[in-house]
Amino acid sequence: MHERLAKALLQDIYHPVSAVISIGAEGEILGVHLFDTAFGGERMRAEINARELWLMSNHHDGCTTLYDADLQNLRRLRQLAGERRVRMFLASEEYACREIGLPGDLLRVL
């Protein structure tokens, strides 16, 4: 599902754009909030009844590692999420959308 979402939301965007995707208990999409990766993270929002939250970041330049802004946005989303599961995805037309596995130590710091 994350590959289809990345294609639908970010395929023709040539700017660092991110999305918070709220996923419900049955795996359904409850909401999507697009924002500028570098400047919009402070206003990110998620559906209150989401079971998990996905952060998807468009790396139009093909970069395969997290930008500093991605780390800040991930930190904000983890605070917003509380106990809910958070997943991180990178999307680019240079490579298929992929989930970024974050080590437990990094998650504790965030």
Side-chain angles (χ1 to χ4, degrees):
M1 177 168 60
H2 64 273
E3 296 97 345
R4 288 180 45 211
L5 276 168
K7 186 173 182 176
L9 294 172
L10 306 170
Q11 180 175 354
D12 296 318
I13 305 296
Y14 304 103
H15 184 76
V17 173
S18 294
V20 172
I21 303 159
S22 300
I23 305 294
E26 302 297 321
E28 71 277 21
I29 298 170
L30 301 176
V32 175
H33 176 234
L34 286 171
F35 59 94
D36 182 293
T37 300
F39 304 108
E42 293 176 1
R43 293 183 302 279
M44 76 171 59
R45 59 185 179 273
E47 299 298 321
I48 194 151
N49 56 340
R51 181 192 66 193
E52 64 183 52
L53 302 173
W54 296 0
L55 180 59
M56 188 173 286
S57 182
N58 180 40
H59 285 202
H60 67 287
D61 58 3
C63 181
T64 59
T65 59
L66 297 174
Y67 300 144
D68 288 342
D70 291 327
L71 290 170
Q72 290 175 331
N73 292 331
L74 185 57
R75 186 178 306 113
R76 289 179 184 119
L77 186 59
R78 294 215 24 96
Q79 290 172 347
L80 180 68
E83 295 299 316
R84 295 178 285 182
R85 181 179 181 199
V86 172
R87 295 171 69 185
M88 177 79 205
F89 297 89
L90 295 184
S92 176
E93 65 179 32
E94 303 291 326
Y95 52 80
C97 180
R98 62 182 73 166
E99 184 167 5
I100 300 299
L102 300 172
D105 291 341
L106 179 59
L107 289 177
R108 280 190 288 280
V109 170
L110 293 173

